[in-house]
Amino acid sequence: MEALRVRGGAPLVGEVRLSGAKNSVLKLMAAALLAEGATTIRNVPDILDVEIMAELLRRLGCTVDHDAAGGVVRIDVPAQPSHRADYDLVRRMRASICVLGPLVARMGAADVAVPGGDNIGSRGLDMHVDGLRRMGAEVTSEHGCLLAQAPDGLVGARVWLDFPSVGATETVLMGAVLARGETVIDNAAREPEIVDICTMLVSMGARIEGIGTSTIVVHGVDTLSPTDHETVPDRIVAGTWAVAAAITGGDVTVRGAHGEHLSIALEKLVVAGATVETLPDGFRVAMSEQPRAVDIVTLPYPGFPTDLQPQFIALNAVAAGAALVTENLFEARFVFVQELARLGADVRTDGHHALVRGRERLSGAPVEATDIRAGAGLVLAGLVADGCTTVYGVGHIDRGYAGFVPALRSLGADVERIDVP
Ligand code: EPU
Protein backbone atom coordinates (compact mmCIF):
# COMPACT_ATOMS: atom_id res chain seq x y z
CA MET A 1 0.00 0.00 0.00
CA GLU A 2 1.13 3.53 -0.68
CA ALA A 3 0.54 6.81 1.10
CA LEU A 4 1.59 10.43 0.65
CA ARG A 5 3.83 11.94 3.29
CA VAL A 6 3.39 15.72 3.41
CA ARG A 7 5.49 18.06 5.51
CA GLY A 8 3.77 21.40 5.85
CA GLY A 9 5.17 24.90 5.77
CA ALA A 10 6.40 25.72 2.29
CA PRO A 11 4.49 28.22 0.13
CA LEU A 12 3.87 26.76 -3.34
CA VAL A 13 5.51 28.85 -6.04
CA GLY A 14 5.86 28.24 -9.77
CA GLU A 15 3.93 26.95 -12.76
CA VAL A 16 1.84 23.88 -13.54
CA ARG A 17 0.30 22.76 -16.83
CA LEU A 18 -3.12 21.14 -16.95
CA SER A 19 -4.22 18.14 -18.94
CA GLY A 20 -7.73 17.12 -19.98
CA ALA A 21 -10.65 16.68 -17.60
CA LYS A 22 -11.22 13.24 -16.08
CA ASN A 23 -14.95 13.88 -16.01
CA SER A 24 -14.94 14.61 -19.72
CA VAL A 25 -12.48 12.13 -21.16
CA LEU A 26 -14.27 9.05 -19.80
CA LYS A 27 -17.49 10.12 -21.54
CA LEU A 28 -15.64 11.04 -24.74
CA MET A 29 -14.18 7.53 -24.78
CA ALA A 30 -17.69 6.08 -24.36
CA ALA A 31 -19.01 8.36 -27.11
CA ALA A 32 -16.51 6.80 -29.52
CA LEU A 33 -18.76 3.69 -29.40
CA LEU A 34 -21.35 5.62 -31.40
CA ALA A 35 -19.34 5.31 -34.65
CA GLU A 36 -17.64 2.38 -36.31
CA GLY A 37 -13.94 3.05 -36.97
CA ALA A 38 -11.03 4.79 -35.29
CA THR A 39 -11.61 7.80 -33.04
CA THR A 40 -8.67 9.68 -31.54
CA ILE A 41 -8.94 11.59 -28.26
CA ARG A 42 -6.16 13.97 -27.23
CA ASN A 43 -5.16 15.85 -24.08
CA VAL A 44 -5.96 12.69 -22.12
CA PRO A 45 -4.87 12.78 -18.46
CA ASP A 46 -2.59 9.97 -17.31
CA ILE A 47 -4.91 8.62 -14.60
CA LEU A 48 -6.11 5.19 -13.58
CA ASP A 49 -9.74 5.77 -14.64
CA VAL A 50 -8.66 6.18 -18.28
CA GLU A 51 -7.04 2.75 -18.11
CA ILE A 52 -10.20 1.25 -16.60
CA MET A 53 -12.36 2.78 -19.34
CA ALA A 54 -9.88 1.53 -21.98
CA GLU A 55 -10.21 -1.97 -20.52
CA LEU A 56 -14.01 -1.72 -20.55
CA LEU A 57 -13.98 -0.69 -24.22
CA ARG A 58 -11.63 -3.58 -25.06
CA ARG A 59 -14.08 -5.99 -23.40
CA LEU A 60 -16.79 -4.52 -25.63
CA GLY A 61 -14.68 -5.50 -28.64
CA CYS A 62 -12.82 -2.26 -29.36
CA THR A 63 -9.09 -2.01 -29.99
CA VAL A 64 -7.72 0.69 -27.70
CA ASP A 65 -4.21 2.15 -27.90
CA HIS A 66 -3.35 4.37 -24.97
CA ASP A 67 -0.24 6.52 -25.29
CA ALA A 68 -0.18 7.67 -21.68
CA ALA A 69 2.91 9.86 -22.03
CA GLY A 70 1.60 11.58 -25.16
CA GLY A 71 -1.92 11.94 -23.74
CA VAL A 72 -3.58 10.22 -26.71
CA VAL A 73 -6.15 7.42 -26.80
CA ARG A 74 -7.10 5.81 -30.10
CA ILE A 75 -10.26 3.68 -30.05
CA ASP A 76 -11.08 1.45 -32.99
CA VAL A 77 -14.75 0.45 -32.73
CA PRO A 78 -15.95 -2.67 -34.57
CA ALA A 79 -19.14 -2.89 -36.63
CA GLN A 80 -20.78 -5.00 -33.92
CA PRO A 81 -19.44 -4.23 -30.44
CA SER A 82 -20.63 -6.37 -27.57
CA HIS A 83 -23.20 -4.69 -25.33
CA ARG A 84 -22.28 -6.11 -21.93
CA ALA A 85 -20.29 -4.24 -19.25
CA ASP A 86 -19.48 -6.51 -16.30
CA TYR A 87 -19.46 -5.71 -12.61
CA ASP A 88 -15.73 -6.33 -12.12
CA LEU A 89 -14.94 -3.16 -14.09
CA VAL A 90 -18.04 -1.13 -13.21
CA ARG A 91 -17.35 -1.57 -9.50
CA ARG A 92 -13.87 -0.09 -9.99
CA MET A 93 -15.24 3.00 -11.69
CA ARG A 94 -18.76 4.30 -11.33
CA ALA A 95 -18.45 6.35 -14.53
CA SER A 96 -18.60 3.05 -16.48
CA ILE A 97 -22.36 3.63 -16.57
CA CYS A 98 -21.70 6.15 -19.36
CA VAL A 99 -21.51 3.29 -21.91
CA LEU A 100 -25.25 2.66 -21.35
CA GLY A 101 -26.53 5.41 -23.67
CA PRO A 102 -24.14 4.77 -26.58
CA LEU A 103 -24.67 0.99 -26.48
CA VAL A 104 -28.44 1.11 -26.56
CA ALA A 105 -28.35 3.83 -29.24
CA ARG A 106 -25.95 1.95 -31.49
CA MET A 107 -26.70 -1.73 -30.73
CA GLY A 108 -30.34 -1.52 -29.66
CA ALA A 109 -29.38 -3.19 -26.38
CA ALA A 110 -27.17 -2.65 -23.35
CA ASP A 111 -26.50 -4.83 -20.35
CA VAL A 112 -24.51 -2.81 -17.85
CA ALA A 113 -23.78 -3.76 -14.26
CA VAL A 114 -25.16 -1.21 -11.81
CA PRO A 115 -22.49 0.61 -9.84
CA GLY A 116 -23.23 0.58 -6.12
CA GLY A 117 -23.12 3.60 -3.88
CA ASP A 118 -19.74 5.10 -3.19
CA ASN A 119 -18.07 7.11 -0.49
CA ILE A 120 -19.83 10.31 -1.46
CA GLY A 121 -23.36 8.94 -1.39
CA SER A 122 -25.96 6.70 -2.98
CA ARG A 123 -25.97 8.34 -6.46
CA GLY A 124 -29.14 7.16 -8.19
CA LEU A 125 -29.63 6.28 -11.85
CA ASP A 126 -33.38 6.95 -12.02
CA MET A 127 -33.04 9.90 -14.42
CA HIS A 128 -30.80 7.88 -16.78
CA VAL A 129 -33.41 5.11 -16.86
CA ASP A 130 -36.37 7.45 -17.18
CA GLY A 131 -34.72 9.28 -20.10
CA LEU A 132 -34.05 6.07 -22.03
CA ARG A 133 -37.60 4.86 -21.36
CA ARG A 134 -39.02 8.08 -22.73
CA MET A 135 -37.01 7.40 -25.88
CA GLY A 136 -38.73 4.03 -26.20
CA ALA A 137 -36.24 1.69 -24.53
CA GLU A 138 -37.47 -1.07 -22.29
CA VAL A 139 -35.29 -0.93 -19.19
CA THR A 140 -35.26 -3.56 -16.48
CA SER A 141 -32.98 -4.32 -13.60
CA GLU A 142 -31.95 -7.94 -13.12
CA HIS A 143 -29.19 -9.66 -11.16
CA GLY A 144 -27.42 -6.37 -10.48
CA CYS A 145 -27.50 -5.24 -14.13
CA LEU A 146 -29.50 -2.66 -16.06
CA LEU A 147 -30.88 -4.19 -19.25
CA ALA A 148 -31.96 -1.64 -21.83
CA GLN A 149 -33.52 -2.80 -25.06
CA ALA A 150 -34.67 -0.86 -28.10
CA PRO A 151 -34.45 -3.40 -30.94
CA ASP A 152 -36.00 -0.98 -33.45
CA GLY A 153 -33.85 1.91 -32.26
CA LEU A 154 -34.51 4.81 -29.89
CA VAL A 155 -37.13 7.42 -30.74
CA GLY A 156 -36.78 11.15 -30.08
CA ALA A 157 -38.74 12.42 -27.06
CA ARG A 158 -39.10 15.28 -24.61
CA VAL A 159 -37.02 14.49 -21.52
CA TRP A 160 -37.41 16.72 -18.48
CA LEU A 161 -34.73 16.07 -15.87
CA ASP A 162 -35.77 16.58 -12.23
CA PHE A 163 -32.26 17.84 -11.55
CA PRO A 164 -29.56 18.94 -14.05
CA SER A 165 -27.63 15.70 -13.60
CA VAL A 166 -24.36 15.51 -15.52
CA GLY A 167 -24.54 11.75 -16.02
CA ALA A 168 -28.24 11.63 -16.98
CA THR A 169 -27.78 14.49 -19.47
CA GLU A 170 -24.92 12.52 -21.07
CA THR A 171 -26.89 9.25 -21.22
CA VAL A 172 -29.89 10.89 -22.86
CA LEU A 173 -27.68 12.93 -25.20
CA MET A 174 -25.73 9.89 -26.39
CA GLY A 175 -28.99 8.02 -26.90
CA ALA A 176 -30.62 10.91 -28.74
CA VAL A 177 -27.93 11.51 -31.36
CA LEU A 178 -28.83 8.22 -33.11
CA ALA A 179 -32.58 8.25 -32.25
CA ARG A 180 -35.28 8.78 -34.88
CA GLY A 181 -36.56 12.34 -34.74
CA GLU A 182 -36.09 15.16 -32.26
CA THR A 183 -35.19 14.91 -28.58
CA VAL A 184 -35.49 17.88 -26.24
CA ILE A 185 -33.57 17.65 -22.95
CA ASP A 186 -35.03 20.18 -20.52
CA ASN A 187 -33.20 21.16 -17.34
CA ALA A 188 -30.03 19.73 -18.91
CA ALA A 189 -26.66 20.05 -17.17
CA ARG A 190 -24.49 22.90 -18.51
CA GLU A 191 -21.04 21.83 -17.27
CA PRO A 192 -18.07 22.53 -19.59
CA GLU A 193 -17.72 18.73 -19.83
CA ILE A 194 -21.24 18.59 -21.36
CA VAL A 195 -20.22 21.24 -23.88
CA ASP A 196 -17.10 19.18 -24.61
CA ILE A 197 -19.01 15.99 -25.39
CA CYS A 198 -21.54 17.93 -27.49
CA THR A 199 -18.65 19.42 -29.48
CA MET A 200 -17.21 15.97 -30.09
CA LEU A 201 -20.60 14.56 -31.09
CA VAL A 202 -21.14 17.43 -33.54
CA SER A 203 -17.73 16.69 -35.07
CA MET A 204 -18.96 13.08 -35.53
CA GLY A 205 -21.97 14.35 -37.47
CA ALA A 206 -24.55 14.79 -34.69
CA ARG A 207 -27.06 17.64 -34.93
CA ILE A 208 -27.33 19.40 -31.57
CA GLU A 209 -28.71 22.85 -30.68
CA GLY A 210 -28.64 24.72 -27.38
CA ILE A 211 -25.20 23.43 -26.40
CA GLY A 212 -24.23 24.88 -23.02
CA THR A 213 -27.83 25.85 -22.18
CA SER A 214 -30.50 24.12 -20.07
CA THR A 215 -32.45 23.10 -23.16
CA ILE A 216 -30.57 20.83 -25.54
CA VAL A 217 -32.30 19.89 -28.78
CA VAL A 218 -30.98 16.88 -30.69
CA HIS A 219 -32.05 15.94 -34.21
CA GLY A 220 -31.20 12.26 -34.56
CA VAL A 221 -29.10 11.07 -37.52
CA ASP A 222 -28.71 7.57 -39.00
CA THR A 223 -24.97 7.15 -38.48
CA LEU A 224 -22.03 8.99 -36.99
CA SER A 225 -18.39 9.01 -38.12
CA PRO A 226 -15.21 8.62 -36.06
CA THR A 227 -13.45 11.82 -35.12
CA ASP A 228 -10.34 13.44 -33.64
CA HIS A 229 -11.07 15.45 -30.51
CA GLU A 230 -9.11 17.36 -27.86
CA THR A 231 -10.39 17.04 -24.26
CA VAL A 232 -11.36 20.23 -22.39
CA PRO A 233 -8.86 21.16 -19.62
CA ASP A 234 -9.64 19.90 -16.11
CA ARG A 235 -11.28 22.80 -14.25
CA ILE A 236 -11.31 20.88 -10.95
CA VAL A 237 -7.57 20.19 -11.08
CA ALA A 238 -7.10 23.87 -12.02
CA GLY A 239 -9.21 24.90 -9.03
CA THR A 240 -7.24 22.58 -6.76
CA TRP A 241 -3.99 24.31 -7.77
CA ALA A 242 -5.64 27.69 -7.21
CA VAL A 243 -6.54 26.71 -3.63
CA ALA A 244 -3.07 25.22 -3.15
CA ALA A 245 -1.57 28.63 -3.95
CA ALA A 246 -3.99 30.44 -1.67
CA ILE A 247 -3.79 28.11 1.34
CA THR A 248 0.02 28.05 1.39
CA GLY A 249 0.46 31.79 0.85
CA GLY A 250 2.10 30.97 -2.47
CA ASP A 251 2.05 32.14 -6.07
CA VAL A 252 1.05 29.59 -8.72
CA THR A 253 0.45 30.02 -12.45
CA VAL A 254 -1.85 27.43 -13.99
CA ARG A 255 -1.25 27.05 -17.73
CA GLY A 256 -3.69 25.50 -20.18
CA ALA A 257 -6.68 26.40 -17.98
CA HIS A 258 -9.95 28.06 -18.93
CA GLY A 259 -10.41 30.52 -16.06
CA GLU A 260 -13.99 31.24 -17.19
CA HIS A 261 -14.92 27.65 -16.24
CA LEU A 262 -13.97 28.47 -12.65
CA SER A 263 -15.38 31.98 -12.28
CA ILE A 264 -17.14 31.51 -8.93
CA ALA A 265 -14.29 29.58 -7.33
CA LEU A 266 -11.69 32.16 -8.40
CA GLU A 267 -13.97 34.96 -7.23
CA LYS A 268 -14.23 33.23 -3.83
CA LEU A 269 -10.43 33.22 -3.64
CA VAL A 270 -10.41 36.97 -4.29
CA VAL A 271 -12.89 37.41 -1.42
CA ALA A 272 -10.53 35.26 0.69
CA GLY A 273 -7.78 37.81 -0.02
CA ALA A 274 -5.96 36.29 -3.01
CA THR A 275 -4.81 38.09 -6.13
CA VAL A 276 -6.13 36.36 -9.23
CA GLU A 277 -4.73 37.35 -12.60
CA THR A 278 -6.23 36.11 -15.85
CA LEU A 279 -3.63 35.14 -18.46
CA PRO A 280 -4.10 34.32 -22.16
CA ASP A 281 -3.64 30.60 -21.48
CA GLY A 282 -4.64 30.27 -17.84
CA PHE A 283 -4.47 32.22 -14.61
CA ARG A 284 -2.23 33.05 -11.67
CA VAL A 285 -3.22 32.96 -8.00
CA ALA A 286 -1.12 34.57 -5.28
CA MET A 287 -1.80 35.07 -1.58
CA SER A 288 0.31 37.09 0.84
CA GLU A 289 -1.79 37.02 4.02
CA GLN A 290 -3.86 34.62 6.11
CA PRO A 291 -6.97 33.81 4.02
CA ARG A 292 -10.33 35.16 5.14
CA ALA A 293 -13.13 32.60 5.58
CA VAL A 294 -15.52 32.32 2.61
CA ASP A 295 -19.03 30.82 2.55
CA ILE A 296 -19.63 28.19 -0.13
CA VAL A 297 -22.84 26.74 -1.61
CA THR A 298 -22.35 23.90 -4.09
CA LEU A 299 -24.67 23.82 -7.10
CA PRO A 300 -24.70 22.49 -10.65
CA TYR A 301 -22.64 24.56 -13.11
CA PRO A 302 -22.31 27.54 -13.30
CA GLY A 303 -22.67 27.31 -9.52
CA PHE A 304 -19.80 26.46 -7.19
CA PRO A 305 -18.57 22.91 -7.99
CA THR A 306 -19.02 20.19 -5.38
CA ASP A 307 -15.68 18.78 -6.56
CA LEU A 308 -13.90 21.81 -5.04
CA GLN A 309 -15.84 21.75 -1.75
CA PRO A 310 -13.28 19.75 0.30
CA GLN A 311 -10.42 21.94 -0.93
CA PHE A 312 -12.31 25.07 0.18
CA ILE A 313 -13.14 23.51 3.56
CA ALA A 314 -9.39 22.98 3.99
CA LEU A 315 -8.82 26.65 3.09
CA ASN A 316 -11.48 27.78 5.57
CA ALA A 317 -9.93 25.59 8.26
CA VAL A 318 -6.89 27.91 8.34
CA ALA A 319 -8.72 31.16 7.53
CA ALA A 320 -9.53 34.15 9.72
CA GLY A 321 -13.18 33.93 10.77
CA ALA A 322 -15.90 31.32 10.24
CA ALA A 323 -17.59 30.05 7.09
CA LEU A 324 -20.76 28.15 6.32
CA VAL A 325 -20.36 25.50 3.60
CA THR A 326 -23.53 24.03 2.07
CA GLU A 327 -23.32 20.82 0.05
CA ASN A 328 -26.28 20.32 -2.28
CA LEU A 329 -25.10 17.45 -4.51
CA PHE A 330 -23.57 14.61 -2.56
CA GLU A 331 -24.89 13.92 0.92
CA ALA A 332 -21.86 12.04 2.18
CA ARG A 333 -19.15 14.38 1.03
CA PHE A 334 -18.69 15.71 4.57
CA VAL A 335 -17.30 12.35 5.71
CA PHE A 336 -13.93 13.88 4.93
CA VAL A 337 -14.41 16.46 7.66
CA GLN A 338 -13.76 13.82 10.31
CA GLU A 339 -10.32 13.26 8.80
CA LEU A 340 -9.66 16.99 8.64
CA ALA A 341 -10.55 17.17 12.32
CA ARG A 342 -7.63 14.82 12.97
CA LEU A 343 -5.40 17.67 11.80
CA GLY A 344 -7.03 19.95 14.36
CA ALA A 345 -9.60 21.62 12.08
CA ASP A 346 -12.68 23.01 13.82
CA VAL A 347 -15.61 21.89 11.64
CA ARG A 348 -19.15 21.01 12.72
CA THR A 349 -21.59 19.45 10.28
CA ASP A 350 -25.37 19.34 10.43
CA GLY A 351 -27.09 17.69 7.47
CA HIS A 352 -25.77 19.34 4.36
CA HIS A 353 -24.20 22.28 6.19
CA ALA A 354 -20.72 22.54 7.66
CA LEU A 355 -19.61 25.35 9.94
CA VAL A 356 -15.85 25.87 9.68
CA ARG A 357 -14.10 28.02 12.25
CA GLY A 358 -10.63 28.94 11.08
CA ARG A 359 -7.55 28.16 13.16
CA GLU A 360 -4.12 29.69 12.83
CA ARG A 361 -2.49 26.31 12.57
CA LEU A 362 -3.24 22.67 11.86
CA SER A 363 -1.17 19.85 13.22
CA GLY A 364 0.09 16.96 11.06
CA ALA A 365 -1.39 13.49 11.62
CA PRO A 366 -2.20 10.30 9.69
CA VAL A 367 -5.46 10.67 7.73
CA GLU A 368 -7.43 8.61 5.23
CA ALA A 369 -8.64 9.91 1.84
CA THR A 370 -12.20 8.64 1.26
CA ASP A 371 -12.62 9.91 -2.32
CA ILE A 372 -10.67 11.84 -4.93
CA ARG A 373 -11.51 15.33 -3.79
CA ALA A 374 -11.32 14.49 -0.08
CA GLY A 375 -7.79 13.26 -0.86
CA ALA A 376 -6.92 16.56 -2.53
CA GLY A 377 -8.39 18.51 0.39
CA LEU A 378 -6.35 16.52 2.91
CA VAL A 379 -3.10 17.02 0.98
CA LEU A 380 -3.77 20.77 0.86
CA ALA A 381 -4.42 20.79 4.60
CA GLY A 382 -1.21 18.81 5.13
CA LEU A 383 0.71 21.51 3.25
CA VAL A 384 -0.15 23.99 6.00
CA ALA A 385 -0.06 21.65 8.99
CA ASP A 386 2.85 21.60 11.43
CA GLY A 387 5.00 18.51 11.04
CA CYS A 388 4.15 15.45 9.03
CA THR A 389 0.76 14.40 7.59
CA THR A 390 0.43 10.93 6.08
CA VAL A 391 -2.48 10.65 3.64
CA TYR A 392 -3.63 7.04 3.19
CA GLY A 393 -5.98 5.95 0.39
CA VAL A 394 -3.72 7.56 -2.21
CA GLY A 395 -5.36 5.41 -4.90
CA HIS A 396 -8.32 7.79 -4.77
CA ILE A 397 -6.06 10.76 -5.55
CA ASP A 398 -4.41 8.86 -8.42
CA ARG A 399 -7.85 8.45 -10.03
CA GLY A 400 -8.20 12.19 -10.57
CA TYR A 401 -4.82 13.92 -10.41
CA ALA A 402 -2.23 12.99 -13.03
CA GLY A 403 1.36 13.47 -11.81
CA PHE A 404 0.18 15.15 -8.60
CA VAL A 405 3.27 14.47 -6.49
CA PRO A 406 5.87 15.58 -9.09
CA ALA A 407 3.83 18.74 -9.76
CA LEU A 408 3.58 19.52 -6.03
CA ARG A 409 7.31 18.98 -5.62
CA SER A 410 8.10 21.22 -8.60
CA LEU A 411 6.21 23.98 -6.75
CA GLY A 412 8.34 23.47 -3.65
CA ALA A 413 6.10 21.21 -1.59
CA ASP A 414 7.74 18.66 0.68
CA VAL A 415 5.68 15.64 -0.44
CA GLU A 416 6.68 12.07 -1.16
CA ARG A 417 4.99 8.82 -1.99
CA ILE A 418 5.87 6.15 0.53
CA ASP A 419 5.21 2.44 0.90
CA VAL A 420 3.30 1.57 4.02
CA PRO A 421 2.80 -1.90 5.47
N1 EPU B 1 -28.83 11.72 -9.30
C1 EPU B 1 -29.99 11.01 -9.09
N2 EPU B 1 -30.49 10.25 -10.12
C2 EPU B 1 -29.87 10.17 -11.33
C3 EPU B 1 -28.67 10.89 -11.53
C4 EPU B 1 -28.17 11.67 -10.50
O1 EPU B 1 -30.59 11.06 -8.03
O2 EPU B 1 -30.38 9.47 -12.23
C5 EPU B 1 -28.31 12.56 -8.21
C6 EPU B 1 -26.99 12.04 -7.65
O3 EPU B 1 -27.20 11.04 -6.69
C7 EPU B 1 -26.38 13.30 -7.08
C8 EPU B 1 -26.86 14.40 -8.03
O4 EPU B 1 -27.99 13.84 -8.70
O5 EPU B 1 -26.88 13.55 -5.82
C9 EPU B 1 -25.83 14.86 -9.03
O6 EPU B 1 -25.40 13.80 -9.82
P1 EPU B 1 -24.82 13.96 -11.30
O7 EPU B 1 -25.52 12.96 -12.15
O8 EPU B 1 -24.85 15.40 -11.73
O9 EPU B 1 -23.32 13.55 -11.08
P2 EPU B 1 -22.53 12.38 -11.76
O10 EPU B 1 -22.73 12.42 -13.23
O11 EPU B 1 -22.77 11.11 -11.03
C10 EPU B 1 -20.40 13.84 -12.21
C11 EPU B 1 -18.95 13.74 -11.87
C12 EPU B 1 -18.75 14.03 -10.38
C13 EPU B 1 -19.27 15.41 -10.09
C14 EPU B 1 -20.75 15.51 -10.50
C15 EPU B 1 -21.35 16.89 -10.30
C16 EPU B 1 -18.16 12.13 -13.45
C17 EPU B 1 -17.57 10.79 -13.69
N3 EPU B 1 -18.45 12.43 -12.20
O12 EPU B 1 -21.05 12.83 -11.43
O13 EPU B 1 -17.34 13.99 -10.17
O14 EPU B 1 -19.14 15.67 -8.72
O15 EPU B 1 -20.89 15.15 -11.89
O16 EPU B 1 -20.61 17.85 -11.00
O17 EPU B 1 -18.32 12.91 -14.37
C18 EPU B 1 -15.36 13.70 -8.94
O18 EPU B 1 -14.74 13.95 -9.97
O19 EPU B 1 -14.78 13.61 -7.82
C19 EPU B 1 -16.81 13.50 -9.00
C20 EPU B 1 -17.49 12.92 -8.02
Side-chain angles (χ1 to χ4, degrees), residues 113-337:
V114 179
D118 60 16
N119 294 336
I120 59 173
S122 57
R123 307 181 77 181
L125 293 174
D126 51 319
M127 288 184 267
H128 299 244
V129 170
D130 185 60
L132 291 176
R133 282 192 179 136
R134 281 177 193 275
M135 289 193 283
E138 190 181 310
V139 189
T140 52
S141 171
E142 278 169 39
H143 308 298
C145 292
L146 270 184
L147 296 169
Q149 308 218 34
D152 299 324
L154 294 169
V155 185
R158 186 164 202 107
V159 178
W160 211 97
L161 299 177
D162 288 342
F163 178 90
S165 150
V166 171
T169 301
E170 288 160 347
T171 294
V172 175
L173 183 66
M174 289 194 270
V177 287
L178 287 179
R180 282 194 305 287
E182 182 185 280
T183 299
V184 179
I185 313 174
D186 263 327
N187 202 24
R190 291 182 280 163
E191 270 70 2
E193 294 76 26
I194 298 283
V195 174
D196 199 26
I197 192 170
C198 285
T199 307
M200 172 166 156
L201 292 169
V202 167
S203 77
M204 296 169 82
R207 292 177 54 214
I208 307 174
E209 292 159 19
I211 295 173
T213 75
S214 319
T215 306
I216 299 178
V217 180
V218 183
H219 304 276
V221 296
D222 290 341
T223 54
L224 294 172
S225 317
T227 192
D228 191 319
H229 181 85
E230 174 142 344
T231 315
V232 70
D234 198 315
R235 66 195 163 99
I236 304 301
V237 174
T240 302
W241 288 124
V243 180
I247 198 171
T248 61
D251 186 340
V252 176
T253 297
V254 184
R255 300 271 178 209
H258 292 177
E260 70 276 16
H261 292 167
L262 269 179
S263 304
I264 293 193
L266 293 178
E267 187 53 40
K268 288 285 176 187
L269 290 179
V270 171
V271 175
T275 303
V276 176
E277 187 187 346
T278 304
L279 305 171
D281 65 338
F283 57 82
R284 174 179 156 245
V285 175
M287 180 75 109
S288 55
E289 55 194 66
Q290 184 190 13
R292 288 187 291 276
V294 280
D295 291 342
I296 300 292
V297 180
T298 69
L299 281 173
Y301 190 85
F304 187 94
T306 175
D307 292 344
L308 285 176
Q309 180 256 93
Q311 298 87 322
F312 270 78
I313 289 196
L315 181 77
N316 280 321
V318 293
L324 187 63
V325 176
T326 305
E327 171 57 56
N328 287 315
L329 277 90
F330 295 119
E331 72 259 32
R333 228 170 195 165
F334 286 149
V335 168
F336 127 95
V337 160

Side-chain angles (χ1 to χ4, degrees), residues 10-66:
L12 299 199
V13 178
E15 256 188 48
V16 287
R17 176 158 287 281
L18 285 186
S19 53
K22 167 185 87 80
N23 288 346
S24 202
V25 76
L26 303 172
K27 329 302 174 58
L28 303 178
M29 291 172 74
L33 286 166
L34 289 161
E36 180 184 349
T39 282
T40 303
I41 301 171
R42 301 180 193 277
N43 200 24
V44 173
D46 184 10
I47 52 174
L48 185 61
D49 279 13
V50 167
E51 248 327 297
I52 298 175
M53 182 55 87
E55 189 51 37
L56 179 55
L57 294 175
R58 286 186 194 110
R59 296 256 197 106
L60 293 171
C62 304
T63 306
V64 184
D65 294 322
H66 180 196

